[in-house]
Amino acid sequence: MAHLHDVVFSNDLSMKPVKSSKKSPRHALPSVEVESALHLYKLGLNSEAEQAFRNYLSKHPQCADALHGCGLTLHAQGRSDEATGFIERAIAREPMKSHYQLNLALCLAAVNQPVDAIRTLRKAVKIQPGFIDAWFNMAVLSSQIQDAEAAEANYRQVLLLAPAHLASLNNLGDLLAHTDRTQEAVALLRRALEIRPDFLDAQYNLARIILDEHPGEAASLLARVVRSRPKLVDAYRLQAKALAKNADHEAARAVLEQAILSEPDEAGLHNDLGLVCLELGDLTQAVHEFERAIELDPGQVYALYNLAFSVKSRAHPDLLGKIQHALSHAGHLGQEEQALLHFAAGYLLEAAQDYERAFHEFDCANNLKHAPYDRDQTEQFFQSIKDVFTPDYFASPAKGNSDTLPVFILGMPRSGTTLVEQILSSHPQAQGVGELLWFNQQANNLASIHNTDTLFPYSARDISTDWAQELANTYLAELRRRGGNEARRISDKMPGNFVNLGLIAQLLPGAKVIHCQRDPLDTCLSCFTSNFTGYLPYAYKLENLGHYYRCYQDLMSHWSQVLPLPIHVVQYEQLIADPETEIRKMIAFLDLPWDAHCLAPHLNSRAVATASSVQVREPIYRKSLNRSARFEAYLGPLRAALNGETDCR
């Protein structure tokens, strides 16, 4: 998403007359002619002002104020290259006027000389250390040349001089957000909104930062932005994303449909609407919107990917060619976009049973998405979980809320968690709310709650009864908000919650756990061929997937021995082979009466926002079984890692 105007020059180009000094004629008050020319400039009559300044300079060529003023009029007319010459001559006459230096810097910036502009601004603040506009523009320019450290220092200097400087609060918040200092960024943006609640730039940037953790608040902020800036397409797109994350897909759909009425030829809006329709199960409309996006913009990477993902097993003969054409012109694309195209090509080639080329495409995609994976760090983290959550830890009564509402569906990604939740949420007394980041967020926040530097899982040792109950009640309220008041069981299917089971048992001792398992080769291959939107550094190399899978298995073995919560294991292959038997076991495990609707999860109309959003709209099928056999020739590194035979670092 493009941002609002994150950085804006102050554009304080006004003349600032200096009181006269009897000791030097160079400090005399501007003449009537210069004042008249300046008045024309302030009225926006730049051509007339230029001519007036030039007329005066023909008689007084050394007048610094006239030289500076003529430079201002030229800059205002887009002739900044000419303007620099006039202002430099003014500075030669009056080198200690800091606002001359500022305006010269703005002209230099306008002709793409940011380094020279910064050097000039340093002169301005040396002359006048409290010159806020100079510090601010120096921060802006430092950010533009990717000098984040200097930009931050300059913004902080502005805020030292003027703590309520809104543009600096906004820009510094945005800068810190881009360097993963989210909490500081949020604090600055909230401070800006305390000072001026209708500050749209800060509303937009705050919404963008908090969207994952607080989608409801983000959606509310963005609603204000689009009311004030109805032509700002990206604000509609971000608002729809926030609404969808807040489990209000119909509202997201309405926002995008309204935006398309105003901007019918905006390809991104059609792509986003298609994605919402896909999550709602309206595959026909989704495909139509993706196709419309590509028609408007043949290089619309996200629509190409989403269409391939949606129709990979259906007839769409020209789509692969369009994707390959986009890849052949990928020089201007970022790595993430290139990866999407390779994933899309892989889906289509696999559907065409061209497994060699398909695997090559998946490999290219993962190489582009590659992130560092630290084997030792992963092992140490999993070991620390086992060290903290021992039988002794669970010997004391849990401190949270024993409500039986929550069900945690977990396991490795791509192990059948979405299908299981779709089955359970087909029961009239159950509901699913998708993948909540809530427990990951709380695990990360425990240190700040205790005001210590102790990180999870060690921070879980110190949680008080009051905090445990408050956190538990907050989570239960979020489940109810998303899943409704009628359900007896509401599931959270964040697969990675297997690392949080100790904290879950402490906060929610009445919860139940469904552990989804699938053939290790099929699970890891499915991860390797999926485009995950989150940060999963282990997912981009087969060796790393095999190592992580072993760590996960070891931790689940630990939980089976010490966890006080009941765990029901669902083996994906058995579920596919004998759905009714396995589904009856799940329903009985949750103490719910049998309901035949659970046998037809594809008829469930709930929104699904995961990589399985297409598959769960189809009847339970067997074609995903033994998928790894198609790619047997390429899975040697994965087999070795699963057997503990390789170093995955």
Side-chain angles (χ1 to χ4, degrees):
M1 289 288 186
H3 306 157
L4 290 177
H5 307 292
D6 294 330
V7 287
V8 183
F9 284 109
S10 58
N11 282 326
D12 183 6
L13 297 175
S14 60
M15 297 280 284
K16 298 184 180 179
V18 180
K19 290 184 178 180
S20 64
S21 169
K22 295 180 181 178
K23 295 182 180 180
S24 171
R26 286 167 50 190
H27 291 281
L29 285 168
S31 69
V32 172
E33 292 95 328
V34 173
E35 290 282 10
S36 177
L38 176 60
H39 183 66
L40 291 170
Y41 163 72
K42 288 181 175 179
L43 290 174
L45 301 172
N46 295 308
S47 296
E48 293 85 345
E50 177 193 349
Q51 189 58 52
F53 280 124
R54 287 187 183 276
N55 288 342
Y56 186 79
L57 286 168
S58 67
K59 297 177 287 185
H60 306 281
Q62 301 302 317
C63 177
D65 285 334
L67 289 165
H68 176 246
C70 193
L72 297 181
T73 64
L74 292 167
H75 176 72
Q77 295 174 77
R79 294 152 63 190
S80 299
D81 205 11
E82 294 178 67
T84 58
F86 279 88
I87 300 178
E88 284 171 345
R89 287 166 59 192
I91 289 172
R93 300 289 298 165
E94 297 283 0
M96 298 305 290
K97 286 193 173 180
S98 56
H99 66 286
Y100 284 11
Q101 304 282 356
L102 168 66
N103 292 333
L104 174 60
L106 295 175
C107 292
L108 290 167
V111 295
N112 199 29
Q113 297 182 44
V115 175
D116 290 338
I118 291 170
R119 188 179 299 117
T120 303
L121 289 165
R122 288 199 187 104
K123 294 177 184 177
V125 297
K126 188 174 182 180
I127 296 166
Q128 184 183 341
F131 196 176
I132 291 172
D133 287 345
W135 286 110
F136 177 77
N137 285 295
M138 197 157 28
V140 170
L141 288 166
S142 296
S143 184
Q144 287 181 354
I145 64 171
Q146 310 300 314
D147 189 347
E149 185 177 350
E152 179 181 349
N154 292 325
Y155 281 130
R156 292 199 183 280
Q157 182 63 31
V158 175
L159 293 171
L160 187 65
L161 296 165
H165 195 279
L166 289 172
S168 290
L169 289 167
N170 175 67
N171 294 0
L172 180 56
D174 181 66
L175 177 71
L176 295 178
H178 281 90
T179 54
D180 295 327
R181 293 158 67 184
T182 304
Q183 289 186 334
E184 294 176 77
V186 168
L188 288 164
L189 292 165
R190 290 197 185 281
R191 194 196 315 169
L193 291 172
E194 287 173 6
I195 297 167
R196 193 175 121 196
D198 64 345
F199 186 15
L200 293 178
D201 289 16
Q203 288 176 347
Y204 184 97
N205 286 326
L206 177 59
R208 180 171 49 81
I209 296 169
I210 67 172
L211 192 146
D212 285 331
E213 292 195 23
H214 305 286
E217 182 185 358
S220 177
L221 289 166
L222 289 160
R224 295 180 227 166
V225 174
V226 298
R227 279 197 298 269
S228 299
R229 296 184 183 172
K231 293 294 184 182
L232 189 61
V233 169
D234 282 340
Y236 285 103
R237 297 180 67 185
L238 202 58
Q239 183 190 15
K241 183 178 180 181
L243 288 166
K245 280 187 171 291
N246 202 43
D248 196 347
H249 286 75
E250 290 295 350
R253 185 176 191 162
V255 163
L256 291 167
E257 288 173 343
Q258 182 62 39
I260 287 172
L261 290 177
S262 300
E263 301 289 338
D265 296 332
E266 175 57 48
L269 289 172
H270 288 279
N271 171 70
D272 292 0
L273 178 56
L275 190 57
V276 170
C277 291
L278 188 66
E279 293 174 354
L280 283 168
D282 188 349
L283 185 60
T284 301
Q285 183 65 23
V287 169
H288 171 75
E289 296 298 336
F290 297 144
E291 290 173 338
R292 178 59 179 151
I294 295 167
E295 179 184 338
L296 291 167
D297 178 6
Q300 226 290 346
V301 170
Y302 296 94
L304 288 167
Y305 169 82
N306 288 328
L307 184 57
F309 176 79
S310 305
V311 303
K312 56 191 176 187
S313 60
R314 298 169 177 81
H316 212 296
D318 60 340
L319 182 55
L320 181 59
K322 291 178 180 179
I323 290 168
Q324 291 171 332
H325 177 77
L327 277 169
S328 69
H329 296 79
H332 66 287
L333 298 177
Q335 288 188 330
E336 176 67 26
E337 292 176 315
Q338 292 180 54
L340 285 175
L341 291 173
H342 283 293
F343 273 122
Y347 296 149
L348 296 176
L349 288 165
E350 183 179 1
Q353 300 183 4
D354 190 342
Y355 302 128
E356 181 178 359
R357 291 172 63 201
F359 187 84
H360 173 73
E361 295 293 342
F362 292 136
D363 197 39
C364 288
N366 282 286
N367 284 334
L368 287 163
K369 287 178 69 77
H370 178 68
Y373 176 73
D374 190 319
R375 176 183 182 178
D376 289 339
Q377 186 178 63
T378 301
E379 291 179 0
Q380 289 167 11
F381 176 62
F382 278 57
Q383 184 60 48
S384 68
I385 293 173
K386 294 191 293 182
D387 290 343
V388 169
F389 297 107
T390 63
D392 287 343
Y393 180 92
F394 293 117
S396 301
K399 301 173 182 177
N401 187 317
S402 59
D403 196 309
T404 59
L405 180 70
V407 179
F408 291 91
I409 302 171
L410 47 79
M412 279 289 287
R414 311 298 294 147
S415 61
T417 56
T418 301
L419 174 59
V420 167
E421 181 170 68
Q422 190 78 346
I423 290 168
L424 296 183
S425 64
S426 299
H427 194 289
Q429 297 181 33
Q431 187 55 269
V433 297
E435 299 178 358
L436 301 188
L437 291 168
W438 197 90
F439 269 94
N440 286 339
Q441 293 163 359
Q442 300 314 312
N444 292 332
N445 289 339
L446 284 180
S448 61
I449 289 173
H450 300 310
N451 197 26
T452 71
D453 295 328
T454 305
L455 299 178
F456 183 82
Y458 300 106
S459 54
R461 289 171 168 165
D462 303 320
I463 190 167
S464 67
T465 300
D466 288 345
W467 268 112
Q469 291 179 351
E470 181 173 340
L471 290 172
N473 292 338
T474 300
Y475 178 78
L476 291 167
E478 180 65 7
L479 285 186
R480 280 294 183 201
R481 187 189 70 79
R482 289 172 175 266
N485 293 321
E486 304 303 319
R488 285 180 53 197
R489 295 286 191 181
I490 299 179
S491 61
D492 174 347
K493 64 155 294 280
M494 174 56 70
N497 267 335
F498 66 83
V499 301
N500 298 318
L501 277 174
L503 182 60
I504 289 170
Q506 180 68 268
L507 299 185
L508 300 162
K512 292 197 172 186
V513 178
I514 295 179
H515 175 206
C516 297
Q517 291 185 324
R518 183 183 178 189
D519 175 80
L521 283 173
D522 281 348
T523 301
C524 293
L525 175 67
S526 188
C527 289
F528 188 72
T529 59
S530 297
N531 177 56
F532 293 109
T533 56
Y535 182 70
L536 299 178
Y538 62 83
Y540 311 126
K541 288 186 67 176
L542 292 175
E543 299 95 321
N544 294 342
L545 274 160
H547 174 262
Y548 190 85
Y549 191 95
R550 288 188 6 254
C551 292
Y552 139 78
Q553 279 188 315
D554 179 68
L555 183 58
M556 288 308 303
S557 176
H558 172 76
W559 291 132
S560 69
Q561 299 173 41
V562 306
L563 196 74
L565 299 180
I567 301 177
H568 177 74
V569 176
V570 174
Q571 187 65 40
Y572 179 77
E573 289 77 11
Q574 294 176 8
L575 175 62
I576 299 303
D578 188 0
E580 182 169 352
T581 298
E582 298 304 314
I583 292 171
R584 283 184 177 275
K585 289 178 184 177
M586 282 193 284
I587 300 305
F589 172 71
L590 298 180
D591 300 320
L592 294 174
W594 172 247
D595 192 285
H597 288 94
C598 297
L599 296 176
H602 59 290
L603 300 179
N604 190 335
S605 62
R606 61 183 284 271
V608 177
T610 73
S612 302
S613 58
V614 174
Q615 294 96 315
V616 297
R617 305 300 181 187
E618 301 175 358
I620 296 174
Y621 57 80
R622 302 178 59 87
K623 60 187 178 183
S624 291
L625 295 178
N626 200 26
R627 182 184 175 210
S628 58
R630 306 171 189 171
F631 299 99
E632 178 63 35
Y634 315 104
L635 301 185
L638 175 58
R639 286 186 178 277
L642 286 169
N643 293 329
E645 299 170 2
T646 60
D647 185 337
C648 304
R649 282 170 286 189

